[in-house]
Amino acid sequence: MTVTDDPTTQLPTPHGPFVEDDREAHSFRVHRSTMTSPEIHAMELERVFAHSWLYVGHESEIRKKGDYVRRPVGGRQVFMVRGRSGQVNVFHNTCTHRGAMVCRAERGNAKIFSCFYHAWSFNTDGELVGIPDRQAYGDDLDFGKLGLRPAAKVDSYRGFVFLSYDPDIVPLVDYLAGATEYLDLVVDAVEDAEIISGTNEYAINANWKLLAENSIDGYHAVSTHDTYFKYLVALGTDLAGGVQGTAKALGNGHAVLEYTAPWGRPVAKWEPLFGEGAREEIGRLRAELVAKHGEERASRMTDVNRNLLIYPNLVINDIMAVTVRTFMPVSADRMEITAWELAPSQEQPQLRQRRLDSFLTFLGPGGFATPDDIEALESCQQGFHSGGVEWNDISRGMARTPEANDEEQMRAFWRRWNEQMIGEAR
């Protein structure tokens, strides 16, 4: 198939080409059909989401035996539960009898999950433990073969639990590659990290890959979030130095945007927004990190922000607060987003309040950043359907060492996506 720049040319079929990557010419283009095609969306569920490690949740969400959370992961309903011996289990949320979901609530604590349809019952290790009118099945019924089905692979790193539907996928730590360095920075800066109860949940009428790009895009910050920068200036924050940093590919599609920024961090970097009463307390917290991790590592934890993308759809924004965010494709032009806040489990109330305020003020659904980003992504999606232009250009920074407002991190995502989409087809 040949694709030209003729505006009358139809978008390519799901066989590609999807990405044109010419490093010698410093050119990187992505075809817009990747954002609009229902066929490509269906292929992604099979070739990307079925063959990657996907974030399920955090171990702190199920601290006690029997604690569980239910959520969709990669287009499939699953639930995560702390088993009888304390292990973390992740099961497909479907009864082995006739298919109904056995975990019906979003979260809770249970010893038994009973299917409401025909009342088959399973324990927290997935074992079938009860069938009404057992005698109707005769003596040959094998309970051991009728337990809940676990995800093909389940593993965790520093409390972050992942699953894969691919039984042959590489070990999680190998998959995470260079992302482990940045996960370590996040976790080491938070004493006994826990996910705070409660979530931000919303939807965007745009393709999920647009949010993967946006989450690690330093180029849009000044123009798109102008209101937030004006707000900081009004509160006395000095923005003269701007945002300085680097973008880096971390392997397997993961990438990070790491940068120093003039705004503060509510735990260990004071700014006028937090008030004079917080200056001494924040200084003490910073000193504790220095004593524990040394000046260099503590400075990286407190003075440097990072937007970490773990391919394909987990973002950890270690900025004003530590936000953990996933985005699940619903269709080619709609996604659902869930965001949680990570914090020290024994955090003092006033620190917790400041952290949550920072979490909501910038990245909350009604905050400074998220409405701006939603408008931008939905505008892109509408623009794609306008026609006349076939390709997105993601070449910025190819001719130099990548900077914070370049696009190397997006190219890392797209190269891995393209490998999976085209490689699996061959």
Side-chain angles (χ1 to χ4, degrees), residues 189-191 194 196 265-270 274-275 277-286 288-289 320-322 341-359:
V190 180
E191 190 73 26
E194 71 171 3
I196 298 174
R265 294 163 66 87
V267 174
K269 183 180 179 183
W270 182 86
F274 301 140
R279 187 194 290 266
E280 182 177 347
E281 183 180 41
I282 289 177
R284 176 183 61 80
L285 292 169
R286 181 190 181 93
E288 290 177 358
L289 287 174
M320 299 84 169
V322 183
E341 174 64 8
L342 190 74
S345 63
Q346 302 300 317
E347 192 168 38
Q348 296 178 16
Q350 65 270 27
L351 295 179
R352 178 63 58 90
Q353 178 59 40
R354 189 155 59 233
R355 183 187 297 275
L356 288 173
D357 181 71
S358 297
F359 170 51

Side-chain angles (χ1 to χ4, degrees), residues 27-289:
S27 175
F28 193 99
R29 305 196 306 171
V30 174
H31 203 277
R32 291 183 176 183
S33 64
T34 60
M35 305 292 193
T36 60
S37 166
E39 292 82 8
I40 290 176
H41 164 71
M43 290 169 62
E44 287 175 334
L45 293 179
E46 173 55 32
R47 298 181 182 180
V48 174
F49 287 91
H51 295 281
S52 299
W53 281 99
L54 306 174
Y55 178 69
V56 182
H58 195 269
E59 291 180 7
S60 65
E61 296 181 86
I62 51 169
R63 287 193 182 275
K64 298 183 296 183
K65 295 177 183 179
D67 283 353
Y68 66 87
V69 292
R70 183 194 76 180
R71 54 190 50 135
V73 177
R76 312 185 195 190
Q77 285 288 341
V78 302
F79 67 100
M80 177 174 69
V81 59
R82 182 77 66 173
R84 292 178 298 170
S85 62
Q87 79 279 14
V88 174
N89 296 318
V90 180
F91 297 110
H92 292 272
N93 194 1
T94 179
C95 183
T96 52
H97 175 222
R98 297 274 289 279
M101 292 197 300
V102 297
C103 182
R104 304 273 294 173
E106 296 294 328
R107 63 181 61 246
N109 183 278
K111 293 181 179 180
I112 296 294
F113 295 92
S114 182
C115 178
F116 85 107
Y117 195 12
H118 298 98
W120 282 34
S121 300
F122 306 85
N123 66 22
T124 55
D125 291 324
E127 297 167 335
L128 177 62
V129 294
I131 297 177
D133 192 14
R134 164 69 181 81
Q135 294 76 13
Y137 291 89
D139 297 331
D140 297 328
L141 182 67
D142 188 346
F143 271 49
K145 292 181 178 180
L146 291 170
L148 296 176
R149 297 296 188 265
K153 293 285 186 178
V154 177
D155 202 353
S156 65
Y157 184 82
R158 302 301 303 272
F160 294 90
V161 179
F162 294 79
L163 68 73
S164 180
Y165 300 118
D166 181 357
D168 299 319
I169 197 168
V170 299
L172 176 61
V173 70
D174 295 337
Y175 177 86
L176 292 174
T180 58
E181 173 187 351
Y182 298 90
L183 285 172
D184 290 343
L185 281 170
V186 170
V187 175
D188 288 345
V190 180
E191 190 73 26
D192 188 25
E194 71 171 3
I195 292 291
I196 298 174
S197 180
T199 60
N200 289 336
E201 298 181 27
Y202 53 99
I204 303 177
N205 291 321
N207 188 274
W208 69 277
K209 297 183 292 298
L210 287 173
L211 188 54
E213 291 181 351
N214 171 267
S215 297
I216 50 173
D217 177 14
Y219 192 23
H220 80 288
V222 174
S223 55
T224 305
H225 302 309
D226 177 67
T227 301
Y228 181 66
F229 288 107
K230 288 178 179 176
Y231 167 71
L232 291 178
V233 170
L235 291 173
T237 301
D238 182 6
L239 298 181
V243 177
Q244 305 295 324
T246 60
K248 186 186 298 183
L250 302 174
N252 295 329
H254 318 311
V256 67
L257 178 66
E258 193 170 31
Y259 54 98
T260 57
W263 52 77
R265 294 163 66 87
V267 174
K269 183 180 179 183
W270 182 86
E271 70 165 9
L273 170 65
F274 301 140
E276 283 295 329
R279 187 194 290 266
E280 182 177 347
E281 183 180 41
I282 289 177
R284 176 183 61 80
L285 292 169
R286 181 190 181 93
E288 290 177 358
L289 287 174

Side-chain angles (χ1 to χ4, degrees), residues 342-419:
L342 190 74
S345 63
Q346 302 300 317
E347 192 168 38
Q348 296 178 16
Q350 65 270 27
L351 295 179
R352 178 63 58 90
Q353 178 59 40
R354 189 155 59 233
R355 183 187 297 275
L356 288 173
D357 181 71
S358 297
F359 170 51
L360 294 172
T361 297
F362 189 68
L363 287 173
F368 279 101
T370 299
D372 291 341
D373 289 332
I374 291 174
E375 173 65 21
L377 302 192
E378 291 188 344
S379 179
C380 288
Q381 195 73 31
Q382 294 164 16
F384 296 152
H385 288 288
S386 172
V389 180
E390 286 193 71
W391 298 88
N392 281 353
D393 185 275
I394 311 181
S395 304
R396 184 177 174 87
M398 289 185 79
R400 66 182 181 189
T401 301
E403 298 178 2
N405 60 355
D406 286 334
E407 295 168 340
E408 173 61 22
Q409 61 277 33
M410 273 94 76
R411 292 190 289 273
F413 169 87
W414 278 108
R415 284 172 179 139
R416 178 57 182 157
W417 181 91
N418 196 51
E419 286 174 3

